Amino acid sequence: MSNTMIWLIIGLAVVTYIPRMVPLVFFNSEKIPSVIQNVLKNVPFAILGALIFPGILTIHDDLLFGVIGAVAAILAAYLGANLIVVVMFAVAVLSAYAYFI
Amino acid sequence: MEASVTTNSYSGFVDGLKAGISIAVGYMPVALTFGLLARTTGLTLYEAVLMSVLVFAGAAQYITLSLIAIGTGAFEIIFTIFIVNIRHLLMSASINEKVEEDTPWKKAVYAFGITDETFTVSATKAGKLTTGYMFGLCLISYSSWVLFTAGGYIAGATLPGVVQQGMSVALYAMFIGLLIPSAKKSRKVLFLAGLAALFNSLLTFAQLSTGWAIVLATLLSSILVEWMGGRARNE
């Protein structure tokens, strides 16, 4: 194994770990102004939107893959299915679609 | 007293493991493909697995492979990945509002496990998060990531074509499955996600790198919705 590759991986590990660790270890949530706390509480749902779209449209050259997968997942989730069921259902629907086209 | 504390943190751990099953399943095709691509990019098995063991970040690892493939220098790769990972800063700060207070070293350990997926699963869970839960959630996700990286490399193949294509939606389906229950109950949630998706589309269309686009879209949406909410409360 090459030395350069080892150092590259270690460098990547450091720049990936630091942003994950610093706020959790060094921020004191009681000392953060309430307006910033409120913004931070909004982050999970905002980031879900940004993670889903437009990325879901790029999972396949065929744009319909993303659309069908999204519709299947939304439908299952809207009907109250368990998270793992939502995932499995969307995968099954898309696999069937891939099989038939 | 002591016993009940132990029981609580233990059940938190098991809850975390259970909550992470969807992530572990979703990581399978992504990690298998990473292992396979690492092999075709010329990494050794040891290097590919070491990267998954030490870095544990899907987007970062995929981008690294593509940069290695076109002969990018180590410093440039590391800098690019730092930018890609800026969003973890936001997630870590956000989850810090929700986890139980604990000794810094324990938080420093599970901080390693914060990914788009472990973050969104834990952050959308109702109530406070125990350290045990965070450990369980991150452990099962991490195990899947590392094992299937090795599996993809060794097998030299991913899942059968049709299944592989179907599985490509798994993590997105999980994100949708996390969002919908809350969006059904709260208009604000729908607004937050919708606005961020819109901003992210515009920024992606404007050729901004994925790392920055997601961070900016998330911040803009979170701040704007908070600002509108604040105005509504004042009126």
Side-chain angles (χ1 to χ4, degrees), chain A residues 1-2 5 12 16-17 19-20 23-24 27 29 37-38 40 42 46 49-51 53-56 60 65 78 95, chain B residues 46-47 55-56 81 85 89 92-94 96-97 107-108 111-112 114 162 165 172 184 188 193 196 200-201 222 226:
Chain A
M1 149 143 84
S2 76
M5 188 61 78
L12 292 173
T16 310
Y17 180 61
R20 285 169 167 167
L24 261 170
F27 288 12
S29 79
Q37 283 191 26
N38 289 339
L40 288 175
N42 285 345
L51 286 171
F53 201 83
I56 194 166
H60 200 281
F65 262 79
Y78 193 82
S95 300
Chain B
Y46 184 63
E47 289 164 350
V55 180
F56 185 36
I81 297 308
N85 288 330
L89 206 62
S92 177
S94 173
N96 193 39
E97 300 288 314
K107 292 173 88 179
F112 172 76
I114 292 181
V162 165
Q165 292 182 56
Y172 290 101
K184 263 170 82 176
K188 184 179 167 188
N200 193 34
S201 306
S222 302
E226 173 55 23

Side-chain angles (χ1 to χ4, degrees), chain B residues 57-212:
Chain B
Q61 291 179 223
Y62 269 96
I63 294 168
T64 299
L65 287 186
S66 62
L67 292 176
I68 291 174
I70 56 170
T72 314
F75 261 109
E76 224 178 317
I77 297 178
I78 291 171
F79 183 73
T80 307
I81 297 308
F82 180 67
I83 303 297
V84 171
N85 288 330
I86 294 281
R87 69 180 186 284
H88 290 142
L89 206 62
L90 205 55
M91 296 183 203
S92 177
S94 173
I95 207 72
N96 193 39
E97 300 288 314
K98 212 172 142 61
V99 295
E100 66 173 347
E101 238 352 280
D102 211 327
T103 43
W105 74 265
K106 281 187 193 161
K107 292 173 88 179
V109 173
Y110 70 69
F112 172 76
I114 292 181
T115 63
D116 295 344
E117 294 76 21
T118 57
F119 168 72
T120 47
V121 166
S122 55
T124 52
K125 182 181 178 288
K128 275 262 168 192
L129 299 167
T130 63
T131 301
Y133 176 90
M134 293 304 291
F135 269 96
L137 181 72
C138 295
L139 183 67
I140 189 170
S141 311
Y142 181 61
S143 309
S144 163
W145 184 249
V146 173
L147 287 175
F148 287 116
T149 297
Y153 192 102
I154 294 164
T158 55
L159 302 163
V162 165
V163 181
Q164 174 77 13
Q165 292 182 56
M167 292 277 304
S168 63
V169 83
L171 290 176
Y172 290 101
M174 189 185 79
F175 291 141
I176 290 172
L178 290 170
L179 180 62
I180 299 293
S182 304
K184 263 170 82 176
K185 280 181 246 156
S186 157
R187 252 235 176 89
K188 184 179 167 188
V189 166
L190 202 59
F191 259 118
L192 278 166
L195 267 180
L198 178 72
F199 286 135
N200 193 34
S201 306
L202 293 175
L203 293 169
T204 306
F205 187 70
Q207 306 281 314
L208 205 68
S209 75
T210 315
W212 282 117

Side-chain angles (χ1 to χ4, degrees), chain B residues 1-13 15 100 130 132:
Chain B
M1 190 64 204
E2 194 62 40
S4 81
V5 170
T6 318
T7 317
N8 277 339
S9 67
Y10 173 74
S11 71
F13 181 75
D15 285 347
E100 66 173 347
T130 63

